[in-house]
Amino acid sequence: MGSVTETAEDQTAGDLTLREVVAALDMMFPPDTAQSWDRVGLVAGDPEQPVRHILLAVDPTLAVIAEAREAGADLIITHHPLLLRGIHSVATTTAKGAAVTELIVHDIALYCAHTNADVADPGVGQALALACGLTDTEPLEITEGQELGRVGDLPEALELADFAARLVAGLPPTAGGIRVAGPPDGTVRRVAVLGGAGDSAFAAVRASGADVYVTADLRHHPALEAREEAGIGAGTPYLVDAGHYASESLWLPGLATRLMSELGAAGARLEVTVSQVRTDPWDFVLGAAGPGEHTQGDQ
């Protein structure tokens, strides 16, 4: 019996197209649920190109794109957009230009689900809520008609230091760890969460009755004012800055599972992996105080 040679047509028979994967993603994270200022959806790629390997990441950095190249990925799905603000050149003399060039030259598509993934159910908010130990949650606030953030109760009350320690154990390690504002022995039962930058939601957090607010990128003045307001009341909410990358990376494993399920039998032919590149920008920290410790001059 003669040998059988597999043709290129045979090799690609049954492959998913980028168009099909994008359709599934758009169903999971409808683009019209993104905030008005956001830029989501397909950034680069030919809708008819085959997709066999997908890499999931928080940020479309050059290191993530290099990881995709090495892994042979056809598509990168990220949370943060590559082109959120207008640019006027894609020359490789800039990082964004180099990223666009790398994607196009190596036939790697890029899709981002940002605020439409924040408001999705399940989405970024639920992933962070689960890491905090919350199961039954409700929206923290409604923004542009969409539910944003989550709030719920722990099964049992914890001291703030113990709650923070549990959260650290559930987050990917970063140089900065997490920052906590509040007494280590403070009681925590009701928890509000908002992945990524969240210091615009303090009014909603106070209205929710949360004992602690878990978010990221808390700036000095809004955080200080929030603690001042808490000080003239019951002392809450306490604050936990979990880091932007860490608080949103928790969404990726669930995304892999849900995407495979959404694609049904076709998803079984896909390889979906979560990036191992830490896109948190910080590399080390010095002089951090532990629970109950304060530097000279603190009150």
Side-chain angles (χ1 to χ4, degrees):
M1 182 181 293
S3 61
V4 176
T5 302
E6 190 177 45
T7 67
E9 184 178 53
D10 293 326
Q11 290 173 335
T12 59
D15 283 337
L16 282 166
T17 64
L18 178 58
R19 185 186 303 279
E20 291 172 299
V21 178
V22 167
L25 289 165
D26 284 351
M27 184 176 298
M28 294 161 57
F29 311 111
D32 62 2
T33 63
Q35 298 294 290
S36 57
W37 51 264
D38 205 2
R39 297 292 180 268
V40 300
L42 187 63
V43 179
D46 178 352
E48 302 310 320
Q49 71 185 78
V51 175
R52 305 179 187 93
H53 186 172
I54 300 174
L55 180 70
L56 310 179
V58 175
D59 298 281
T61 64
L62 288 166
V64 167
I65 296 170
E67 181 186 26
R69 282 185 58 193
E70 185 174 342
D74 311 293
L75 169 63
I76 302 171
I77 301 172
T78 64
H79 184 48
H80 293 141
L82 175 63
L83 304 174
L84 181 59
R85 296 176 179 85
I87 61 173
H88 305 286
S89 170
V90 291
T92 58
T93 51
T94 67
K96 288 194 184 295
V100 170
T101 300
E102 285 289 297
L103 291 169
I104 293 173
V105 168
H106 298 286
D107 290 326
I108 301 172
L110 174 64
Y111 181 100
C112 76
H114 191 209
T115 53
N116 51 332
D118 289 332
V119 304
D121 183 11
V124 175
Q126 284 88 346
L128 181 56
L130 285 172
C132 290
L134 306 176
T135 51
D136 296 326
T137 62
E138 59 191 48
L140 174 62
E141 62 179 344
I142 305 297
T143 302
E144 295 188 15
Q146 301 297 327
E147 298 180 354
L148 189 62
R150 309 301 299 175
V151 61
D153 296 322
L154 295 170
E156 59 183 7
L158 294 173
E159 289 191 349
L160 178 60
D162 292 334
F163 171 79
R166 288 192 185 185
L167 184 57
V168 166
L171 291 171
T174 60
I178 68 173
R179 300 184 296 172
V180 183
D185 61 352
T187 300
V188 171
R189 182 66 186 268
R190 190 158 178 80
V191 181
V193 305
L194 181 59
D199 61 18
S200 64
F202 280 127
V205 172
R206 284 190 286 269
S208 76
D211 300 309
V212 64
Y213 179 36
V214 180
T215 186
D217 291 354
L218 291 177
R219 295 169 294 164
H220 175 84
H221 293 295
L224 182 60
E225 289 172 7
R227 292 302 297 146
E228 289 280 278
E229 290 292 333
I232 62 174
T236 57
Y238 309 129
L239 307 178
V240 174
D241 189 320
H244 202 125
Y245 161 81
S247 67
E248 294 184 327
S249 65
L250 299 169
W251 167 66
L252 299 177
L255 170 59
T257 301
R258 189 179 173 202
L259 181 58
M260 297 281 278
S261 175
E262 191 69 32
L263 290 168
R269 302 194 296 273
L270 272 178
E271 182 178 359
V272 182
T273 56
V274 175
S275 172
Q276 298 303 300
V277 174
R278 177 181 59 85
T279 57
D280 184 271
W282 306 107
D283 294 312
F284 63 91
V285 64
L286 299 174
E293 299 176 353
H294 297 280
T295 57
Q296 185 175 4
D298 284 344
Q299 301 297 318

